[in-house]
């Protein structure tokens, strides 16, 4: 009996129905989580939170069953479900303001014994240890989320249910939560069901993702496919009429993957709109009958949507009017708290003769004197201002950041962007700055700029300046720092404007730019490739440290590169094995979308990067290591790991419709993988090559080519150069590239 229970799925939901009055919230939901981490995504109102509550016994179930490790928990009380080993991190955190951090943890720690203890929580979340005597109401949003997750972990559950764990969190905290979820999945001690709206997080932590639509599981899809397909994301998760997704629903037998049915042509006839409460309800109102709802329904012409769009545009006169005209420097921030400081910056820039626009991205809903109001920015969110100006500050910040990013994409006259504030302001403006082309000056003055700024900067050329004092009022220090920041953006913008004509003239006769990836152990190859192509191409070399690959693909996406020589794909090692220089799941996707000429190889796939030797994860003890320097430790990949990487890369090469040549150097994939060197392992390399050859579907346009040499041999570099010239066009041909 115990063996059967251990082999049962961590969670099995079959035909689950939940009603709220006459509203059918969950409609025959089928879902199976065998083990590890599984993500469920969907728009607001699709039933995701109701699914969590149904599993935990917090709402009544009308039909169907819920099993955890083979045991039926349907309709059991929540306390009993928790004692059976189901933990819950609710949306909104639900902390007690009067209890301290330590009291929260001690209270939860007595339910079930196991690996998670209060001491382990403090080791995992050092910030909670620092705040252990603070009340729940005194914590920031990120700290509250840490505490809510920790409280659930201390129950040592077999199954952990997490409802929107990253909602409203700063990028740094989101990254910590994502890393923790990945670690939980790798440890295998518990299974995790994650309800998430952040597609990046959902696809990073889970191999497959379930998509909820109108109270049903619409489909279960491979996370890599969902992450790479922006059109699919918009169609399944974008904002619009719920009915648009109905044709996609084609439920198969339990446990099988759903397949989308062919979508019929959209009707151009009238649309019926039903209102659940034809008359305003009161506390004594009875549920409205179906007959009354039918009778009160009204008919809309399809022209209504066009009229609504016209009305929306009329509400945004400033946005439309200001999208053209002379270039302007955007001074952006939360004017309800940083108005004095931002206007101080604005005035300095204006006195230098540059046009400015003061943009408010505060989420309080207060009106401020500015050029672009927070209300105008909020209209650019998919759900409008109601999504931005809500009671949850964390959710409001996330929504405003999305709205501002959408707004700035529509602006055609941005000469530069500058902002000042704390972590919240940086989180608000950084995503929008990252959407701007490389070269547009971007500067953030912030109190977080002396720490890890990678979550804010990402692959973009954002400059961050430490504010020294908090950005709170003007004093001798803040005036000096803010003045330096303002004058820095003035210098960058003026230099760029002065050089624009020169750049445009040079571009008309200039060389096309190509991206090349390099690591220390592939430097000789890249140097020879760049030297051989120098007369015909501008070679931009990107250091393959995680952000390097992302930066190159950002330029690919923006049309600033004419081709790619992705010689060094080592970031995939760190992505799949947990190194410190990981790529994202979106790696190669820009090339897939743009179909640029692509020449690639397996450079440095023999190594996973870690920090100092004592930072190597315990699970890798006993492996083959090479200490590159006191702060960098390299681990040799095994045949099994190479097979995993081969499948990952091969699947993405299969999605490339442009010209592709991918080379396999049999003499070794790095300087350390040459004969007589520490990482020389022909069997491990052979496993990588075999897997790629089995995975990649060869066509006339997509070829996989074995070469006898080591990747750094001059002959190998010459082969790469010849292949790229063939793909790009005849040698010496010069093409103008959009810049």
């Amino acid at each position: 009996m115990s063996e059967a229970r251990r082999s049962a799925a961590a969670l099995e939901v079959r035909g689950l129905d939940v009603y709220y009055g006459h509203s059918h919230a969950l409609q025959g939901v089928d879902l199976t989580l065998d083990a590890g981490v599984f993500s469920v995504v969907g728009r607001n109102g699709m039933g995701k939170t109701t699914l969590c509550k149904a599993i935990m016994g917090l709402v009544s179930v009308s039909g169907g069953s819920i099993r955890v490790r083979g045991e039926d928990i349907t309709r059991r009380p929540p306390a009993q479900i928790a004692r059976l080993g189901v933990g819950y991190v609710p949306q909104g955190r639900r902390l007690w303001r009067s209890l301290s951090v330590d009291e929260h943890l001690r209270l939860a720690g007595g339910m079930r014994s196991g690996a998670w203890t209060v001491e382990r929580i403090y080791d995992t979340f050092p910030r909670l240890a620092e705040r252990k005597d603070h009340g729940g109401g005194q914590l920031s949003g990120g700290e509250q989320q840490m505490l809510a997750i920790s409280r659930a972990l201390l129950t040592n559950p077999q199954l952990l249910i997490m409802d929107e764990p990253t909602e409203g969190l700063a990028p740094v905290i989101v990254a910590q939560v994502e890393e923790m979820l990945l670690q939980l999945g790798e440890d295998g001690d518990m299974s995790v069901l994650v309800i998430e709206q952040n597609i990046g997080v959902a696809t990073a932590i889970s191999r497959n993702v379930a998509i909820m639509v109108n109270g049903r599981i619409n489909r279960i899809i491979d996370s890599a496919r969902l992450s790479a397909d922006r059109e699919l994301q918009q169609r399944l998760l974008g904002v619009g009429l719920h009915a648009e997704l109905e044709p996609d629903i084609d439920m198969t037998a339990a446990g099988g993957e759903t397949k989308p049915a062919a979508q019929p042509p959209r009707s151009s006839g009238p649309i019926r709109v039903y209102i659940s409460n034809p008359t305003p309800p009161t506390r004594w109102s009875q549920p409205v009958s179906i007959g009354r709802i039918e009778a009160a329904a009204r008919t809309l012409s399809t022209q209504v949507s066009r009229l609504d769009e016209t009305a929306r545009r009329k509400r945004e006169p400033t946005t439309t009017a200001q999208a053209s005209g002379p270039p302007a420097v955007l001074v952006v921030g939360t004017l309800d708290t940083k108005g004095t400081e931002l206007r101080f910056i604005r005035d300095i820039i204006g006195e230098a003769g540059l046009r400015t626009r003061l943009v408010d991205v505060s989420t309080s809903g207060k009106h401020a004197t500015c050029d672009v109001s927070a209300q105008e920015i909020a209209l650019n969110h998919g759900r409008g201002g109601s999504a931005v100006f809500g009671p949850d500050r964390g959710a409001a910040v996330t929504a405003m950041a999305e709205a501002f990013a959408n707004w700035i994409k529509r602006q055609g006259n941005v000469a530069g962007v500058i902002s000042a504030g704390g972590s919240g302001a940086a989180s608000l403006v950084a995503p929008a700055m990252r959407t701007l082309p490389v070269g547009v000056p971007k500067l953030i003055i912030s109190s977080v700029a002396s720490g890890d700024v990678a979550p804010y900067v990402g692959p973009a050329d954002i400059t961050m300046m430490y504010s020294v004092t908090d950005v709170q009022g003007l004093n001798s220090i803040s005036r000096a720092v803010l003045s330096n920041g303002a004058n820095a953006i003035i210098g960058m913008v003026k230099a760029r404007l002065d050089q624009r004509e020169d750049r445009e003239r040079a571009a008309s006769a200039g060389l096309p730019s190509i991206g090349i990836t390099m690591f220390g152990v592939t430097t000789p190859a890249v140097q020879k490739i760049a030297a051989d192509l120098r007369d015909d191409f501008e070679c931009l070399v990107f250091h393959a440290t995680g952000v390097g690959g992302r930066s190159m693909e950002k330029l690919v996406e923006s049309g600033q590169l004419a081709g790619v020589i992705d010689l060094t794909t080592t970031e995939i090692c760190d992505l799949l094995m947990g190194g410190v220089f990981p790529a994202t799941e979106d790696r190669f996707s820009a090339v897939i979308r743009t179909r640029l000429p692509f020449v690639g190889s397996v450079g440095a796939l023999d190594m996973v990067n870690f920090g100092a030797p004592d930072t190597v994860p315990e699970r890798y003890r006993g492996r083959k290591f090479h200490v590159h320097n006191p702060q960098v430790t390299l681990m040799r990949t095994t045949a099994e790991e190479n097979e995993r990487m081969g499948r990952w890369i091969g699947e993405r090469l299969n999605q490339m419709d442009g010209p592709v040549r991918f080379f396999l150097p049999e003499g070794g994939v790095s300087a350390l993988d040459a004969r007589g060197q520490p990482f020389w392992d022909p069997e491990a390399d052979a496993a990588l090559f075999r897997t790629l050859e089995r995975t990649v579907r060869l066509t006339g346009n997509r070829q996989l080519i074995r070469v006898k040499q080591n990747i750094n041999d001059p002959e190998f570099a010459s082969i790469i150069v010849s292949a790229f010239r063939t793909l790009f066009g005849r040698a010496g041909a010069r093409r103008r590239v959009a810049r």
Side-chain angles (χ1 to χ4, degrees):
M1 181 72 175
S2 61
E3 289 295 329
R5 181 165 298 176
R6 275 198 296 271
S7 63
L11 173 66
E12 187 177 13
V13 178
R14 288 288 174 263
L16 192 64
D17 286 301
V18 172
Y19 284 83
Y20 293 122
H22 288 281
S23 177
H24 200 173
L26 295 184
Q27 305 176 25
V29 171
D30 288 322
L31 185 67
T32 300
L33 168 56
D34 292 318
V37 182
F38 188 76
S39 299
V40 177
V41 300
R43 296 176 298 185
N44 285 339
M46 294 294 102
K48 305 187 303 297
T49 295
T50 299
L51 175 62
C52 295
K53 291 181 176 179
I55 295 170
M56 292 304 303
L58 296 172
V59 295
S60 298
V61 173
S62 302
S65 66
I66 306 168
R67 293 181 177 273
V68 174
R69 302 290 179 191
E71 185 164 353
D72 194 339
I73 64 169
T74 315
R75 301 181 183 86
R76 293 198 185 187
Q80 186 178 354
I81 293 173
R83 284 194 291 270
L84 288 173
V86 183
Y88 184 37
V89 181
Q91 186 178 21
R93 295 135 193 174
R94 304 292 180 87
L95 302 178
W96 288 285
R97 299 177 63 85
S98 59
L99 293 184
S100 68
V101 169
D102 197 61
E103 288 169 337
H104 273 94
L105 299 180
R106 301 291 174 187
L107 184 63
M111 180 176 292
R112 287 166 54 94
S113 60
W116 284 97
T117 62
V118 174
E119 289 70 28
R120 183 179 176 185
I121 290 293
Y122 284 144
D123 289 339
T124 305
F125 298 107
R127 184 60 177 167
L128 292 183
E130 298 172 9
R131 308 275 280 172
K132 63 187 300 183
D133 295 325
H134 289 68
Q138 297 175 294
L139 305 180
S140 68
E143 292 164 347
Q144 289 181 5
Q145 191 63 45
M146 290 181 197
L147 181 55
I149 294 172
S150 301
R151 183 177 57 184
L153 290 175
L154 280 174
T155 65
N156 285 286
Q158 294 177 315
L159 172 66
L160 180 61
I161 312 292
M162 305 183 76
D163 191 2
E164 303 283 7
T166 67
E167 182 181 33
L169 301 184
V172 174
I173 308 301
V174 170
Q176 291 178 4
V177 173
E178 181 179 314
E179 183 178 352
M180 186 204 69
L181 289 171
L182 287 169
Q183 188 63 52
L184 289 176
E186 291 178 2
D187 291 345
D189 295 333
M190 71 178 72
S191 300
V192 188
L193 179 68
V194 179
I195 307 298
E196 185 57 78
Q197 286 203 51
N198 186 322
I199 294 295
V201 173
T203 54
I205 63 177
S206 175
R207 183 180 296 275
N208 296 306
V209 177
I211 298 176
M212 285 200 76
V213 177
N214 293 341
R216 294 185 283 255
I217 298 296
N218 174 275
R219 64 182 66 188
I220 297 174
I221 188 171
D222 180 80
S223 61
R225 180 190 167 201
L226 180 61
S227 176
D229 195 331
R230 300 294 175 84
E231 181 181 351
L232 184 64
Q233 292 177 24
Q234 179 63 29
R235 185 158 57 87
L236 294 177
L237 303 170
V239 176
L241 291 174
H242 294 179
E244 291 180 11
L245 291 173
E246 290 298 334
D248 284 333
I249 300 174
D250 179 22
M251 302 303 294
T252 59
E257 183 170 339
T258 60
K259 296 182 179 180
Q263 185 163 334
R266 186 70 52 80
S267 170
S268 59
I271 300 172
R272 295 276 284 172
V273 178
Y274 299 90
I275 305 172
S276 59
N277 285 300
T279 57
T282 69
R283 70 176 66 184
W284 301 281
S285 297
Q286 297 298 313
V288 180
S289 66
I290 298 298
R292 286 190 59 199
I293 294 175
E294 288 279 359
R298 55 197 177 97
T299 302
L300 292 182
S301 163
T302 52
Q303 298 299 319
V304 170
S305 60
R306 299 189 184 98
L307 292 174
D308 288 346
E309 177 67 13
T310 302
R312 185 182 68 80
R313 288 176 178 172
K314 287 181 178 179
R315 293 197 301 269
E316 303 173 342
T318 305
T319 299
T320 304
Q322 297 290 346
S324 58
V329 178
L330 305 182
V331 182
V332 188
T334 53
L335 292 180
D336 58 347
T337 59
K338 313 296 181 190
T340 302
E341 298 86 341
L342 292 167
R343 290 185 176 91
F344 177 77
I345 294 172
R346 188 263 321 265
D347 292 344
I348 293 175
I349 297 172
E351 289 170 1
L354 293 175
R355 180 170 173 252
T356 62
R357 295 175 69 192
L358 187 61
V359 182
D360 186 13
V361 290
S362 27
T363 58
S364 63
K366 298 177 181 177
H367 289 269
T369 302
C370 56
D371 298 305
V372 184
S373 69
Q375 288 71 26
E376 291 176 59
I377 297 296
L379 287 174
N380 290 269
H381 192 278
R383 299 194 305 276
S386 60
V388 176
F389 303 113
D392 187 327
R393 182 180 180 276
V397 168
T398 301
M400 178 61 86
E402 180 181 339
F404 181 50
N406 292 337
W407 177 85
I408 207 168
K409 290 175 186 175
R410 299 170 54 203
Q411 309 308 302
N413 61 345
V414 178
V417 188
I418 184 171
S419 178
S423 61
S427 299
L428 277 167
V429 301
M433 287 186 178
R434 292 196 295 267
T435 68
L436 292 172
V438 171
V440 176
K442 315 165 186 73
L443 175 61
I444 299 175
I445 305 171
S446 176
S447 54
V448 300
S450 66
D452 179 11
V453 298
Y456 304 103
V457 175
D461 57 336
I462 296 174
T463 302
M464 294 194 71
M465 177 182 291
Y466 182 47
S467 62
V468 184
T469 63
D470 199 358
V471 183
Q472 186 60 52
L474 295 177
N475 52 58
S476 59
I477 301 299
S478 65
R479 285 177 183 273
V481 174
L482 296 176
S483 295
N484 285 341
N487 284 293
I489 200 80
I490 290 168
M492 288 188 280
V493 169
K494 284 191 172 183
R496 190 165 187 268
L497 293 176
D498 291 343
Q499 296 167 5
R500 173 176 291 180
E501 292 186 4
D502 295 338
R503 285 199 310 272
E504 289 175 350
R505 283 194 299 269
S508 62
L511 301 177
S513 298
I514 62 172
I516 309 176
T517 50
M518 185 183 78
F519 216 42
V521 291
T522 60
T523 298
V526 173
Q527 288 178 332
K528 177 165 176 52
I529 291 168
D532 289 351
L533 293 174
R534 183 179 299 123
D535 292 339
D536 301 307
F537 300 93
E538 180 186 29
C539 296
L540 308 180
V541 178
F542 297 87
H543 200 186
T545 56
V547 72
R550 290 161 57 198
S551 297
M552 182 181 71
E553 295 213 16
K554 179 178 174 64
L555 293 181
V556 169
E557 199 79 72
S558 63
Q560 294 178 269
L561 295 183
V564 170
I565 299 179
D566 206 349
L567 188 82
T568 311
T569 46
T570 185
E571 296 164 331
I572 307 303
C573 293
D574 288 21
L575 169 66
L576 299 183
M577 266 60 78
V580 296
F581 297 144
T584 64
E585 288 287 345
D586 202 40
R587 188 71 164 87
F588 302 126
S589 294
V591 176
I592 292 170
R593 290 188 287 268
T594 59
R595 302 180 179 180
L596 285 186
F598 177 87
V599 173
S601 189
V602 289
L605 285 187
D606 57 329
M607 59 187 64
V608 183
N609 295 269
F610 296 108
D614 59 0
T615 67
V616 177
E618 185 64 34
R619 65 182 181 277
Y620 290 134
R621 301 299 180 188
R623 293 281 296 274
K624 182 185 291 186
F625 294 99
H626 175 76
V627 179
H628 182 66
N629 62 49
Q631 301 304 319
V632 176
T633 306
L634 309 177
M635 181 182 75
R636 194 8 165 142
T637 53
T638 64
E640 292 76 17
E641 290 167 344
N642 281 352
E643 289 175 355
R644 184 181 174 193
M645 290 187 290
R647 286 190 295 271
W648 196 96
I649 294 173
E651 289 168 357
R652 282 147 183 82
L653 292 178
N654 287 336
Q655 299 176 48
M656 294 184 183
D657 295 329
V660 174
R661 300 292 183 271
F662 201 81
F663 291 88
L664 309 177
E666 295 179 334
V669 302
S670 80
L672 291 179
D673 186 32
R675 188 180 298 274
Q677 294 302 312
F679 282 178
W680 172 245
D681 190 344
E683 292 183 3
D685 292 345
L688 172 65
F689 302 157
R690 283 196 308 270
T691 305
L692 278 164
E693 289 172 333
R694 291 170 183 168
T695 305
V696 176
R697 296 189 299 272
L698 301 182
T699 68
N701 218 25
R702 182 190 307 120
Q703 297 181 18
L704 207 62
I705 304 167
R706 283 186 181 244
V707 180
K708 293 293 184 183
Q709 289 81 13
N710 179 277
I711 198 169
N712 287 311
D713 288 344
E715 296 84 356
F716 183 82
S718 297
I719 292 171
I720 293 288
V721 169
S722 177
F724 184 78
R725 288 190 185 279
T726 300
L727 292 191
F728 190 84
R730 66 181 174 83
R734 297 188 176 189
R735 304 179 184 181
R736 181 176 179 179
V737 181
R739 295 177 184 270

